[in-house]
């Protein structure tokens, strides 16, 4: 719970919940976090200020999430609204990048030799013919690291995306596939 509190800047009592750390220890950790991650700390503050002013937040694709509870007289509701203000741009953007990566892969994969079975959180499960495994892995890895939106790369991605690939006959007994050099 304390790591969650550091990420979302909860009040000291919430950070302490379920832990043996004192409120003072939590404050020291948060102060260190803000000192070591100044750009991130500034971004967190800007998100909170924006939602307080506008009562909504957007992800990198421009999708807006209304957050009217930021004006609630109930402290717990306002605190939850601040967490949403920080979480929505990150998780909302990440989930859409994942969807775009899957869509890019589906357009590129041979449907006669592979099929998408399911997604589990941020994982994609494919069924692939043995003679197509290596090619499918390369396509999937490239599609997820370079997702396309309306046929074009995502202009706001300035850092490379990491993709871990595993393969095997059964979901519970997969082996990691190292990235080709």
């Amino acid at each position: 719970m304390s790591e969650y509190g550091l990420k979302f800047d909860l009040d000291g009592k919430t950070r302490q919940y379920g832990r043996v750390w004192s409120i003072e220890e939590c404050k020291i950790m948060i102060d260190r976090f803000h000192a070591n991650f100044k750009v991130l700390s500034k971004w967190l503050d800007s998100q909170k200020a924006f939602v307080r002013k506008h009562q909504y937040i957007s992800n990198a694709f421009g999708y807006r999430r209304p957050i009217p509870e930021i004006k609630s007289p109930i402290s717990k509701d306002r605190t939850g609204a601040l967490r949403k203000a920080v979480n929505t741009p990150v998780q909302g953007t990440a989930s859409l990048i994942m969807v775009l990566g899957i869509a890019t892969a589906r357009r590129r994969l041979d449907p006669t030799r592979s099929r998408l079975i399911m997604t589990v959180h941020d994982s994609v499960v494919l069924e692939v013919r043995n003679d197509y495994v290596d090619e499918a892995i390369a396509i999937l890895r490239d599609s997820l690291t370079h997702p396309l939106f309306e046929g074009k790369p995502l202009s706001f991605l300035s850092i490379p995306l990491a993709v871990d690939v595993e393969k095997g006959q059964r979901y519970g007994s997969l082996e990691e596939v190292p990235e080709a050099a």
Side-chain angles (χ1 to χ4, degrees):
M1 189 60 140
S2 290
E3 182 181 343
Y4 183 83
L6 282 169
K7 289 179 184 171
F8 295 102
D9 204 19
L10 303 176
D11 62 76
K13 290 179 184 171
T14 305
R15 279 191 300 271
Q16 188 185 18
Y17 178 77
R19 296 289 189 182
V20 294
W21 297 323
S22 69
I23 291 174
E24 292 77 22
E25 289 170 315
C26 289
K27 182 169 177 7
I28 290 169
M29 285 188 284
I30 285 181
D31 290 345
R32 278 191 201 142
F33 173 85
H34 289 294
N36 290 324
F37 300 99
K38 290 179 178 145
V39 173
L40 179 58
S41 183
K42 187 176 178 179
W43 179 82
L44 291 168
D45 291 340
S46 71
Q47 293 301 106
K48 293 173 194 175
F50 186 92
V51 80
R52 284 184 183 110
K53 181 177 181 180
H54 300 285
Q55 297 182 49
Y56 75 88
I57 205 73
S58 300
N59 68 19
F61 292 91
Y63 292 109
R64 289 183 178 188
R65 179 180 186 176
I67 307 180
E69 58 271 27
I70 192 67
K71 299 292 185 185
S72 172
I74 302 167
S75 175
K76 184 178 178 182
D77 291 345
R78 289 190 311 273
T79 304
L82 292 175
R83 285 193 303 274
K84 289 177 188 176
V86 172
N87 189 35
T88 295
V90 175
Q91 293 295 328
T93 301
S95 66
L96 282 172
I97 289 172
M98 182 69 174
V99 168
L100 292 172
I102 293 168
T104 302
R106 285 197 59 175
R107 283 191 298 274
R108 295 177 60 200
L109 288 166
D110 180 347
T112 66
R113 298 191 287 166
S114 66
R115 67 182 177 139
L116 175 68
I117 301 296
M118 67 179 163
T119 61
V120 180
H121 301 292
D122 60 352
S123 298
V124 181
V125 179
L126 297 174
E127 185 175 68
V128 180
R129 285 186 25 188
N130 287 336
D131 64 338
Y132 189 59
V133 170
D134 292 336
E135 189 176 347
I137 287 171
I139 290 169
L140 184 64
R141 194 182 299 267
D142 184 64
S143 297
L144 293 175
T145 56
H146 303 95
L148 302 176
F149 180 65
E150 297 178 346
K152 298 175 187 162
L154 302 176
S155 60
F156 60 82
L157 278 180
S158 59
I159 59 170
L161 299 176
V163 174
D164 297 325
V165 176
E166 297 176 331
K167 69 178 182 178
Q169 295 297 316
R170 305 219 179 329
Y171 188 69
S173 60
L174 302 176
E175 295 179 7
E176 186 173 340
V177 177
E179 194 167 346

